[in-house]
Amino acid sequence: MAKPLKVDEIWLERIAELLDDMEFGSLHIVVHEGQIVQMERTERKRFENSSARISGEAGSRRTDSRSVGRG
């Protein structure tokens, strides 16, 4: 029979701390014999696509190294 999960105030604080300020991501909680033994936080950062304009400008000024020195 499975042991009941033991979650005390300390673990609740740790969980809340890891979730704090997370916009996109996940929190993986590993339980062993009814006790939390590990937590893994995976966070995703999403950025506006304003870099397309910048890379387009830089791309027009960039010289392809393969064509340098060819006549």
Side-chain angles (χ1 to χ4, degrees), residues 31-47:
V31 177
H32 183 71
E33 294 183 359
Q35 292 186 322
I36 296 173
V37 294
Q38 180 176 332
M39 293 190 293
E40 299 173 15
R41 175 180 164 156
T42 303
E43 187 172 0
R44 305 282 188 238
K45 295 287 185 181
R46 297 188 181 181
F47 302 96

Side-chain angles (χ1 to χ4, degrees), residues 1-8 11 29-38:
M1 182 177 219
K3 293 183 180 183
L5 181 62
K6 299 174 185 175
V7 182
D8 58 14
W11 279 109
I29 300 173
V30 179
V31 177
H32 183 71
E33 294 183 359
Q35 292 186 322
I36 296 173
V37 294
Q38 180 176 332

Side-chain angles (χ1 to χ4, degrees), residues 3-67:
K3 293 183 180 183
L5 181 62
K6 299 174 185 175
V7 182
D8 58 14
E9 192 63 35
I10 293 171
W11 279 109
L12 292 175
E13 288 177 20
R14 290 175 180 169
I15 292 167
E17 200 174 287
L18 288 171
L19 292 173
D20 192 34
D21 295 330
M22 183 188 298
E23 288 186 77
F24 305 99
S26 62
L27 179 63
H28 182 85
I29 300 173
V30 179
V31 177
H32 183 71
E33 294 183 359
Q35 292 186 322
I36 296 173
V37 294
Q38 180 176 332
M39 293 190 293
E40 299 173 15
R41 175 180 164 156
T42 303
E43 187 172 0
R44 305 282 188 238
K45 295 287 185 181
R46 297 188 181 181
F47 302 96
E48 294 294 321
N49 198 7
S50 61
S51 62
R53 180 180 53 89
I54 295 170
S55 64
E57 292 172 2
S60 65
R61 287 183 262 151
R62 186 175 56 204
T63 303
D64 189 353
S65 61
R66 292 174 290 178
S67 64

